[in-house]
Amino acid sequence: MIPVLIFGDLFHAKGHTLNLSKAGCEIAVTADVPEKGQQLHLLLQAPTIDTQIKIQLAIVRWCQRGLFGVEFVRISSTYQKNLHQYLYLLDLCPAQGTAEGPQL
């Protein structure tokens, strides 16, 4: 789980990623969840790399109480490289991705 800031036209929140992949992730939030189909911008705070990962466009594909899933639609090549680097590090040390983050 890594902290994530979520921005959209009708939705702003803090959360934590779950099941992060190159294509998208689940996000856990303590606030209301966005609507299915909503477009979001994400700022992931990966603890093992020197920079944040900015997702320019993510689409909400499903939602339920406290959780929603997004598909990454647009991410710059620089941030895509950072995401791949972080996922590679998780493969090398899986416990790194399951560490408890700060409570919301």
Side-chain angles (χ1 to χ4, degrees):
M1 292 191 326
I2 61 173
V4 60
L5 299 175
I6 308 146
F7 306 96
D9 289 340
L10 304 172
F11 186 82
H12 301 280
K14 293 180 182 178
H16 286 90
T17 62
L18 306 168
N19 299 322
L20 180 63
S21 73
K22 294 176 186 179
C25 65
E26 288 180 55
I27 298 176
V29 292
T30 57
D32 292 331
V33 297
E35 294 180 10
K36 184 177 177 181
Q38 189 169 352
Q39 297 181 1
L40 302 173
H41 308 283
L42 307 176
L43 184 59
L44 288 72
Q45 309 284 326
T48 57
I49 59 176
D50 294 334
T51 186
Q52 301 167 335
I53 300 168
K54 294 180 185 178
I55 308 299
Q56 295 165 311
L57 179 60
I59 305 291
V60 178
R61 296 301 182 198
W62 61 267
C63 50
Q64 64 184 42
R65 183 176 169 89
L67 289 173
F68 62 97
V70 296
E71 175 186 0
F72 300 154
V73 176
R74 190 174 352 156
I75 179 171
S76 75
S77 59
T78 299
Y79 292 117
Q80 192 169 48
K81 180 179 173 183
N82 293 343
L83 175 60
H84 292 186
Q85 177 186 1
Y86 179 70
L87 293 171
Y88 175 75
L89 291 173
L90 286 183
D91 282 344
L92 294 177
C93 183
Q96 187 70 31
T98 59
E100 285 293 317
Q103 297 297 315
L104 299 177

